[in-house]
Amino acid sequence: MNVPEQFALSSDLISELLTGMRLRGVEYRRIQVGPSFGFRFEARPGRGYFHYLAVGSAVLRSADGALHELSAGSAVFIPQGAAHQLLSSSDAPTQDIDSFEAAPLGDTVSAVDACPSTSVVPSAILFYGCMEFDLGGMQGLGRLMPGLMLVDAASQRYPGLLPILAAMKGEICSGRVGFAGILARLAEVVAAMIVRGWVECGCDNAAGLVAALRDPRLARAILALHRQPGRDWTVAELAAECHVSRSVFAQRFEFTMGTSPLRYATELRMRLASQWLAQESISIDSVAERLGYSSQAAFSRAFKRINGQPPGSIRQERRRTTREAR
């Protein structure tokens, strides 16, 4: 394979990953504080945390106790929703973020003013978000991401991010009409760009799926599966996509991915089904048909075998979490 083919293939796979990605804000807060502050954020599995520091400085303490210095313009994405703290200094006492009184600014955005009466001007202003983070069929890649992704907006990994962060700062500090909704959308764009930068830079050499995406003997088959998840693929057909023998393909796939090609195909369908079922407008019958199942019963059996619960439970869980977020 020549270099242009490799590059084109890599671009296709990155595009496929980003096409399936969903980032939706559940809760946003514009926070202003005095010289001393400490916020505690509890773990939220299945969600991602986003922070942008517009003014001032702060210290982020991650779940493992590591300290990260933040300065004005810093952005942080925590893809697995791990517990962490934001502090004025490493010894500052902390308080759960949900214990602060918040004034609504929009559907999902509120304001927290933690400045003491003696502070005429806030010492720090930041924007925090808790997001639903779903990579769709590529969900396995999310588990390979680092626990904390700290952004230097001027670095080469994130071209084009600096003006978006500057726009966020302008909205945060100006308080113009409609700024809350604009901030929420910008935060989702920034988080998506952070994920894209990580993928484009090789996913920090993460193993498993990333190794497969780099292997021409496997990558075309994975791309074909993601493009046509409802097709009844055979191992021979997948091997033909990669121009290798059936035996070479099957052995290489299982060695790299830790599972068989057809098991991967089934798990992919069920990950996509979970994403689609979270959307109220799509019926279980429609999901089953889209994924190539001849009946809802056959789809439900496969879904429960992989996920340990029937497909209807996904929709019930989505309704419950939506109610709790309100």
Side-chain angles (χ1 to χ4, degrees):
M1 177 183 293
N2 59 38
V3 173
E5 286 177 322
Q6 288 179 327
F7 179 80
L9 180 60
S10 174
S11 298
D12 283 346
L13 288 166
I14 291 171
S15 176
E16 198 70 24
L17 166 62
L18 296 178
T19 297
M21 182 169 63
R22 299 289 182 272
L23 270 165
R24 188 183 72 85
V26 176
E27 174 184 86
Y28 290 109
R29 288 179 183 167
R30 179 196 183 275
I31 304 171
Q32 59 183 36
V33 294
S36 178
F37 61 90
F39 300 107
R40 188 170 63 252
F41 301 85
E42 301 299 333
R44 293 198 183 182
R47 301 279 171 87
Y49 277 115
F50 172 79
H51 297 289
Y52 171 62
L53 185 63
V55 174
S57 60
V59 176
L60 189 149
R61 180 183 287 126
S62 55
D64 61 3
L67 299 177
H68 306 268
E69 300 285 340
L70 306 182
S71 57
S74 295
V76 179
F77 186 54
I78 301 174
Q80 286 97 12
H84 60 286
Q85 301 171 355
L86 277 178
L87 317 156
S88 55
S89 61
S90 59
D91 59 351
T94 64
Q95 191 173 339
D96 193 296
I97 185 64
D98 292 329
S99 67
F100 288 86
E101 184 177 349
L105 297 174
D107 290 340
T108 59
V109 187
S110 57
V112 172
D113 187 350
C115 283
S117 57
T118 53
S119 294
V120 179
V121 178
S123 298
I125 302 175
L126 59 97
F127 190 68
Y128 140 77
C130 180
M131 304 173 175
E132 289 184 349
F133 178 46
D134 189 348
L135 284 170
M138 293 284 194
Q139 195 64 28
L141 195 59
R143 295 189 292 271
L144 303 176
M145 289 181 178
L148 184 146
M149 304 167 86
L150 178 59
V151 174
D152 171 10
S155 76
Q156 306 232 331
R157 175 174 284 198
Y158 305 102
L161 193 53
L162 193 57
I164 299 178
L165 292 176
M168 286 194 71
K169 180 176 180 178
E171 295 294 336
I172 288 170
C173 297
S174 69
R176 295 172 62 189
V177 174
F179 81 97
I182 292 173
L183 276 173
R185 302 291 81 75
L186 289 175
E188 291 167 14
V189 170
V190 171
M193 291 180 73
I194 292 171
V195 174
R196 181 178 67 179
W198 180 74
V199 174
E200 286 180 330
C201 289
C203 306
D204 296 331
N205 296 315
L209 180 57
V210 177
L213 298 183
R214 291 174 174 167
D215 188 339
R217 291 168 293 184
L218 302 177
R220 285 192 178 89
I222 292 173
L223 183 57
L225 284 168
H226 283 261
R227 284 178 168 169
Q228 300 181 68
R231 177 172 165 178
D232 187 17
W233 290 97
T234 66
V235 176
E237 289 170 339
L238 291 170
E241 291 285 329
C242 302
H243 308 299
V244 295
S245 71
R246 183 188 183 284
S247 59
V248 167
F249 169 76
Q251 183 179 29
R252 184 68 181 174
F253 194 101
E254 187 148 2
F255 175 80
T256 304
M257 299 293 290
T259 189
S260 70
L262 297 186
R263 173 75 180 189
Y264 178 86
T266 302
E267 291 176 349
L268 167 64
R269 293 187 191 106
M270 297 307 108
R271 288 195 297 270
L272 291 172
S274 295
Q275 185 184 72
W276 296 340
L277 288 167
Q279 304 173 31
E280 292 288 339
S281 60
I282 304 178
S283 68
I284 295 177
D285 273 340
S286 297
V287 172
E289 183 179 356
R290 189 183 295 187
L291 292 174
Y293 287 89
S294 58
S295 67
Q296 180 179 324
F299 164 71
S300 296
R301 286 194 297 272
F303 190 95
K304 188 171 183 179
R305 186 172 68 251
I306 297 297
N307 294 318
Q309 55 186 344
S313 63
I314 297 294
R315 186 150 289 167
Q316 292 168 3
E317 176 65 16
R318 173 59 183 256
R319 289 171 181 161
R320 184 185 67 79
T321 55
T322 300
R323 287 195 300 269
E324 290 176 354
R326 289 173 178 167

